[in-house]
Amino acid sequence: MNALAATNRNFKLASRLLGLDSKLEKSLLIPFREIKVECTIPKDDGTLASFVGFRVQHDNARGPMKGGIRYHPEVEPDEVNALAQLMTWKTAVAKIPYGGAKGGIGCDPSKLSVSELERLTRVFTQKIHDLIGIHTDVPAPDMGTGPQTMAWILDEYSKFHGYSPAVVTGKPIDLGGSLGRDAATGRGVMFGTEALLNEHGKSISGQRFVIQGFGNVGSWAAKLISEQGGKIVAVSDITGAIKNKDGIDIESLLNYTKEHRGVKGFDGAHPIDANSILVEDCDILIPAALGGVINRENANEIKAKFIIEAANHPTDPDADEILSKKGVVILPDIYANSGGVTVSYFEWVQNIQGFMWEEEKVNNELKTYMNRGFKDMKEMCKTHSCDLRMGAFTLGVNRVARATVLRGWGA
């Protein structure tokens, strides 16, 4: 089942639990707007190259739409639609005043020079500048993009609308980016894990963790969890996988990956088959890489008692059922990885106020939001006698549905 089919299925299950009528259900599912634009740029060698840029704006009942811009050669429309929809529910679960969006450009950023990427970003911004905005749609970095991309969008947008730092988040600090944004998703994963374990009478200290993916989210989660006394026994990334049953020294691994661009060859652990990472013996499994990695083929082999979904849609519905029967507790992605968008919201707020926060305030506010989100999700679980995934979906869908009806948009 692809990401869109799985997201639609979860939405429809939540809709039935909430008793939404079919007209309202349909209006919540259909995207507000889908944008597709041609972006032609001169390359460094003087030839012209054309790329397709896109933006799916899913819902704006609760506020401006929010979501990443990715640069990737295989941009799959269904996946983008699914991720835009997930952002709608995720922002509602986090109780921040946004709707969902997603977009990007079909290109391979590794094959473009910095000046070509800049030209491409500026042309894309020229095509969509009147469809995004501080109170309309606020992009952020995603796969293949980063703070520099956001800086180019901000500059190009400002040529048309005046200096507008709040039009994008995930910016460089010098252009109004927020302290604590880089670690935000990983820190949110740690706070969410803490809240879940507290509910089960446990703490992070002494628990054994396996983390699939050692990019921004996985590496920050590993660092922060190990600082809380958690034992990281196995880690993987695109270069390979490593294991040390006594716990990996995360500080040393972070230094190693900076120099060698991957975990492969780290001498503080022994190499293992990357395909076995999800089924390694541990207490808590954190998939922090790609979607669809936990499926019916490997779900029965998973030994973890808890799964924290740091990636988007890492568990497919078949695996959900198998794991549920095994008694595995899954902390769903639309709550577990919402730390990033929450601190993006803080960045937007700081830009609008023109008043920047200290990092300690950012981190404390994030903890408050993550703890409140967990409490609200558990309340929905009790109300509807459902698991955490349906608790999160009913919470998010209900908040968007109420805003839709209150604004008079109910069909």
Side-chain angles (χ1 to χ4, degrees), residues 281-330:
D281 186 29
C282 65
D283 302 309
I284 297 152
L285 172 63
I286 304 181
L290 299 168
V293 292
I294 301 173
N295 47 52
R296 73 172 83 169
E297 276 75 46
N298 59 14
N300 271 315
E301 308 301 314
I302 285 173
K303 299 172 185 71
K305 301 171 195 75
F306 300 93
I307 295 173
I308 314 294
E309 294 188 333
N312 283 318
H313 180 61
T315 315
D316 76 16
D318 291 334
D320 249 348
E321 280 182 38
I322 295 165
L323 292 164
S324 176
K325 283 175 186 160
K326 284 176 67 176
V328 177
V329 178
I330 301 174

Side-chain angles (χ1 to χ4, degrees), residues 10-304:
N10 287 329
F11 165 77
K12 281 174 179 163
L13 287 170
S15 173
R16 282 187 201 119
L17 281 174
L18 293 164
L20 302 184
D21 70 57
S22 58
K23 285 180 182 173
L24 180 56
E25 186 181 286
K26 189 179 175 186
S27 76
L28 289 176
L29 213 47
I30 297 168
F32 169 76
R33 179 161 51 201
E34 294 187 37
I35 303 150
K36 194 173 183 182
V37 294
E38 183 192 21
C39 301
T40 302
I41 60 159
K43 295 192 77 181
D44 292 344
D45 63 7
T47 60
L48 291 177
S50 285
F51 303 90
V52 176
F54 57 91
R55 186 78 175 160
V56 175
Q57 297 175 327
H58 180 257
D59 190 276
N60 61 355
R62 298 181 61 257
M65 292 162 285
K66 187 92 189 75
I69 287 181
R70 57 176 51 182
Y71 288 2
H72 193 270
E74 291 164 29
V75 170
E76 214 274 297
D78 275 2
E79 188 186 18
V80 176
N81 255 303
L83 292 170
Q85 189 194 137
L86 274 175
M87 283 301 293
T88 297
W89 316 134
K90 188 185 292 185
T91 51
V93 168
K95 212 173 182 181
I96 54 179
Y98 286 142
K102 205 77 176 184
I105 300 173
C107 69
D108 184 346
S110 68
K111 292 183 177 162
L112 296 171
S113 69
V114 173
S115 59
E116 286 167 345
L117 283 168
E118 179 176 354
R119 287 196 288 276
L120 182 56
T121 303
R122 289 182 183 278
V123 168
F124 181 50
T125 308
Q126 288 163 18
K127 296 284 179 91
I128 66 164
H129 75 88
D130 53 348
L131 299 170
I132 62 171
I134 296 165
H135 301 293
T136 311
D137 177 2
V138 182
D142 200 305
M143 202 186 297
T145 59
Q148 181 59 70
T149 322
M150 297 304 107
W152 292 327
I153 295 173
L154 160 61
D155 183 68
E156 199 62 31
Y157 180 87
S158 297
K159 289 175 185 175
F160 296 94
H161 303 275
Y163 185 60
S164 313
V167 73
V168 286
T169 59
K171 298 180 294 297
I173 300 293
D174 292 335
L175 285 176
S178 177
L179 296 170
R181 176 64 188 87
D182 191 43
T185 310
R187 193 176 296 277
V189 166
M190 186 268 287
F191 287 145
T193 303
E194 205 170 45
L196 178 65
L197 291 175
N198 286 347
E199 180 81 11
H200 289 263
K202 301 174 189 289
S203 70
I204 285 174
S205 183
Q207 300 293 323
R208 295 169 305 135
F209 290 80
V210 164
I211 300 178
Q212 183 201 36
F214 207 67
N216 173 275
V217 180
S219 61
W220 273 109
K223 176 179 163 62
L224 295 165
I225 285 165
S226 66
E227 283 172 5
Q228 294 288 320
K231 192 191 283 188
I232 318 292
V233 294
V235 165
S236 74
D237 66 6
I238 53 167
T239 66
I242 55 169
K243 180 182 179 180
N244 181 340
K245 64 179 172 50
D246 298 321
I248 296 166
D249 181 340
I250 296 299
E251 209 54 56
S252 299
L253 180 60
L254 287 166
N255 292 331
Y256 179 87
T257 54
K258 269 181 203 150
E259 196 181 328
H260 297 87
R261 295 180 172 274
V263 301
K264 188 179 179 183
F266 177 65
D267 60 8
H270 63 269
I272 55 168
D273 179 6
N275 294 322
S276 74
I277 190 83
L278 297 167
V279 299
E280 287 296 328
D281 186 29
C282 65
D283 302 309
I284 297 152
L285 172 63
I286 304 181
L290 299 168
V293 292
I294 301 173
N295 47 52
R296 73 172 83 169
E297 276 75 46
N298 59 14
N300 271 315
E301 308 301 314
I302 285 173
K303 299 172 185 71

Side-chain angles (χ1 to χ4, degrees), residues 330-375:
I330 301 174
L331 195 66
D333 52 0
I334 62 168
Y335 164 75
N337 67 25
S338 63
V341 72
T342 302
V343 175
S344 276
Y345 164 60
F346 299 161
E347 181 178 331
W348 181 74
V349 166
Q350 291 169 74
N351 294 155
I352 288 170
Q353 289 182 325
F355 182 79
M356 306 309 286
W357 301 354
E358 295 297 329
E359 188 167 357
E360 188 183 3
K361 179 176 167 72
V362 173
N363 294 341
N364 288 341
E365 288 289 339
L366 175 58
K367 185 169 188 174
T368 301
Y369 272 70
M370 293 300 296
N371 287 344
R372 184 182 65 193
F374 186 80
K375 191 166 144 291

